[in-house]
Amino acid sequence: MIATNNSIDIKKRQLNIELLRIICSIFICIHHFTINKYNISPANFNNEISNLKLTSLAFFINSFVIISVNVYFLISGYFGIKLNIKKIISLILNVIFYFVIFYFLDILLNYRTISANEYIYNFKNCLRTTWYIYVYIIIVLLSPILNKIVENLNKQIAKYIIIITFIFFSTIMFINPLNSIGINGGYSLISGIYLYLIGAIIKKYDFFAKGKKNNLIIYLCCNIINWLLSIFFIVIIKNKLIAVNIFLYNNPLIILSSISFLKLFLNINIKESKYSRNIILCFSKHVVTIYILQQFSNFTSNFYSLLLPNFVTNNIIILEIIYVIICSLIWFITSFIIDCLISLIIKNTINIVSEKLSIKIKNIFYKISKVIK
């Protein structure tokens, strides 16, 4: 229903970046499908590996698609977010609406009743799994400060910030994480702000590799090294947990891969036509709610249960890859259609409510600012 990058008017959107956002959304679908199909999420990954060949394949696929969330934060920083209270409220209302509708659908389809305490617990769990959304909301609220910081940076200080934060947040905190710092493997506000600032600095000073070829090579090399490291920890070290944690968002290789993937698309020129523009923009404006839909565990698990058992690949690698891609695209398109249909029903209502609430909130802030003065 709404796009994460509220700083770019839809008429001025760059098709290469909108295409990147769509691809990252598909990557997220592939990531979620892969960890469910091959059971490689940290929560479910046990010490026993029944099929090393398929587990290695799962890590290989995950190596190339794990960058998506990092890329979204980088895009936001690159183009700069403009504080928009109405869009923040609209995003919050979307999350609440989708939780309510899909939770009640789950109750109806499974013929079960729930208590008020269970409903509250599940809503809190929903907020936890949609961590990217509320981190993004806080970054939007902080964007005037973050944008001002970048605006006042000279090139030397910008280089210093990139080097120090990369060494500390992406290297030291990845190798030896400290709970007191709050990096949380990249699933945190600090990491979101860090990537936002990196994206903004890249825009201002065009740091990092230039050209499509160089960035493609860096992207491929970082991901292949990550994959080899995960296999090393499984086969040689025999530590499955470390192998899974190789794919935490603050892994320095994943950070470099994310930056290179963004810069790769910044160097791509899409031949624009009326149809290509309309198609790309049509899909790109739904990427946030496609992400939100994937966070409802009961809904996604039911969807996966329909897809997972229905195709026998006999462990043939190329068939496994094709199957994962096809199922992920089905999930992406299904989520897109669901969001389009629901948008037709509630879009106007959410816009009206968001507008009224934003006016009230602005009035409150105005009164508070007068009191502070």
Side-chain angles (χ1 to χ4, degrees):
M1 291 179 197
I2 61 174
T4 54
N5 192 359
N6 59 20
S7 62
I8 313 171
D9 187 88
I10 197 162
K11 294 179 181 178
K12 299 177 182 177
R13 288 188 183 276
Q14 296 181 16
L15 289 193
N16 54 340
I17 299 304
E18 295 309 302
L19 179 61
L20 172 60
R21 294 174 67 243
I22 294 168
I23 289 171
C24 284
S25 184
I26 294 171
F27 277 6
I28 289 173
C29 293
I30 293 173
H31 165 68
H32 287 156
F33 188 83
T34 300
I35 64 175
N36 277 274
K37 175 173 171 54
Y38 300 105
N39 214 11
I40 60 167
S41 69
N44 301 322
F45 198 62
N46 53 44
N47 289 324
E48 297 299 323
I49 295 178
S50 57
N51 191 321
L52 179 60
K53 182 180 177 182
L54 290 183
T55 302
S56 300
L57 172 64
F59 283 133
F60 180 78
I61 294 171
N62 207 33
S63 297
F64 288 89
V65 300
I66 195 65
I67 61 170
S68 301
V69 170
N70 285 354
V71 172
Y72 280 139
F73 283 126
L74 288 168
I75 291 172
S76 295
Y78 187 87
F79 288 100
I81 295 174
K82 292 181 181 177
L83 180 59
N84 188 318
I85 299 297
K86 181 183 175 182
K87 287 188 176 180
I88 293 175
I89 295 169
S90 179
L91 180 56
I92 294 170
L93 290 176
N94 275 308
V95 173
I96 294 171
F97 175 82
Y98 273 104
F99 170 78
V100 171
I101 190 170
F102 282 106
Y103 198 71
F104 277 108
L105 274 175
D106 178 56
I107 294 168
L108 291 173
L109 293 174
N110 292 288
Y111 304 102
R112 64 191 183 92
T113 58
I114 62 165
S115 64
N117 287 336
E118 184 183 354
Y119 187 85
I120 293 169
Y121 171 80
N122 285 319
F123 183 67
K124 288 180 178 178
N125 189 55
C126 169
L127 293 177
R128 181 182 61 80
T129 56
T130 54
W131 68 273
Y132 168 80
I133 299 297
Y134 59 79
V135 165
Y136 173 77
I137 289 170
I138 296 172
I139 289 175
V140 173
L141 293 172
L142 294 174
S143 61
I145 301 170
L146 299 176
N147 294 340
K148 200 68 179 176
I149 290 171
V150 175
E151 183 184 324
N152 293 322
L153 286 179
N154 61 45
K155 196 168 186 176
Q156 285 303 114
I157 296 297
K159 283 182 180 179
Y160 176 79
I161 288 174
I162 286 177
I163 293 169
I164 292 299
T165 54
F166 184 81
I167 291 172
F168 185 72
F169 292 137
S170 301
T171 306
I172 296 174
M173 287 297 102
F174 174 71
I175 296 170
N176 184 33
L178 298 174
N179 292 333
S180 57
I181 303 297
I183 303 299
N184 194 31
Y187 295 78
S188 67
L189 175 62
I190 292 176
S191 292
I193 291 173
Y194 160 59
L195 290 168
Y196 182 91
L197 291 173
I198 294 296
I201 290 170
I202 289 172
K203 174 67 177 291
K204 187 172 183 178
Y205 292 114
D206 194 25
F207 289 150
F208 298 97
K210 296 175 175 62
K212 288 182 282 189
K213 185 178 178 181
N214 290 336
N215 282 292
L216 179 60
I217 290 171
I218 294 171
Y219 168 71
L220 294 174
C221 289
C222 287
N223 296 333
I224 290 170
I225 292 170
N226 242 0
W227 173 61
L228 292 174
L229 283 172
S230 67
I231 301 305
F232 172 78
F233 283 111
I234 288 176
V235 177
I236 307 299
I237 306 299
K238 299 189 183 302
N239 190 318
K240 283 76 175 181
L241 183 59
I242 294 179
V244 173
N245 286 338
I246 284 291
F247 300 101
L248 291 174
Y249 290 138
N250 70 323
N251 178 336
L253 290 172
I254 292 176
I255 297 289
L256 289 175
S257 178
S258 305
I259 293 170
S260 297
F261 203 63
L262 169 63
K263 295 213 71 178
L264 171 65
F265 273 81
L266 287 170
N267 286 284
I268 291 175
N269 294 316
I270 298 176
K271 190 175 180 181
E272 187 171 329
S273 68
K274 179 182 176 182
Y275 297 105
S276 65
R277 183 174 187 81
N278 288 340
I279 290 170
I280 290 173
L281 292 180
C282 178
F283 277 96
S284 69
K285 68 182 180 181
H286 293 272
V287 295
V288 176
T289 36
I290 289 172
Y291 166 81
I292 293 170
L293 278 169
Q294 293 182 63
Q295 307 311 308
F296 298 103
S297 56
N298 290 332
F299 179 69
T300 52
S301 60
N302 288 333
F303 188 87
Y304 291 144
S305 67
L306 294 175
L307 294 175
L308 289 175
N310 293 337
F311 186 74
V312 178
T313 62
N314 294 321
N315 295 343
I316 300 172
I317 294 298
I318 188 65
L319 291 180
E320 289 282 342
I321 293 172
I322 292 170
Y323 181 52
V324 168
I325 292 172
I326 290 173
C327 289
S328 300
L329 287 173
I330 291 172
W331 181 212
F332 174 82
I333 292 168
T334 302
S335 301
F336 169 76
I337 293 170
I338 290 171
D339 191 41
C340 287
L341 293 174
I342 292 177
S343 292
L344 292 174
I345 301 169
I346 67 164
K347 183 178 179 181
N348 289 335
T349 303
I350 284 184
N351 282 339
I352 292 168
V353 174
S354 300
E355 181 68 37
K356 290 182 178 179
L357 287 175
S358 66
I359 291 170
K360 288 184 179 180
I361 290 172
K362 286 176 183 177
N363 288 335
I364 291 170
F365 273 106
Y366 176 73
K367 290 177 181 178
I368 292 173
S369 63
K370 286 188 72 176
V371 171
I372 292 173
K373 285 181 180 179

